[in-house]
Amino acid sequence: MNIGELKLDLIAKIIHTNDLETLMKIEAVLNNIQQTIHEVNEPPTTYIKTEKVLILNEWQQARIDISLKQIENGDFISHEEDQLELEKWFQEQEK
């Protein structure tokens, strides 16, 4: 798994969790990382970029923005609810 895949996996897990404590821990870790980055006294040219950055087109960014708004509005279902719906759908298809 490369960095990009790991980031997407983590984002998906964050989106699907409703555990406030877990989200607050993630926020604390990320804030700590940001603070540590600002405390480094080495010039940025010391670091070598090792992977390409994906540039999203307008459609992709718009779709992400829509999805984030849906999450903010609580317009989503949990992983458990999704699994139950899939199981029900599969059972209906077997009939």
Side-chain angles (χ1 to χ4, degrees), residues 2 5 9 13 16 20 22-23 27 29 34-36 38-39 41 43 46 52 55 64 68 71 73 75 82 86 90 93:
N2 65 34
E5 290 170 333
D9 184 49
K13 288 177 181 175
H16 286 98
L20 181 59
T22 299
L23 293 171
E27 181 182 34
V29 168
Q34 288 294 65
Q35 182 179 0
T36 303
H38 293 296
E39 293 173 355
N41 292 324
T46 304
K52 295 179 181 178
I55 307 295
I64 290 170
L68 291 173
I71 292 166
N73 295 332
D75 188 18
D82 181 51
L86 280 173
F90 283 129
Q93 298 304 310

Side-chain angles (χ1 to χ4, degrees), residues 18-30:
N18 290 322
D19 183 356
L20 181 59
E21 185 176 334
T22 299
L23 293 171
M24 291 176 73
K25 287 179 182 178
I26 293 168
E27 181 182 34
V29 168
L30 294 175

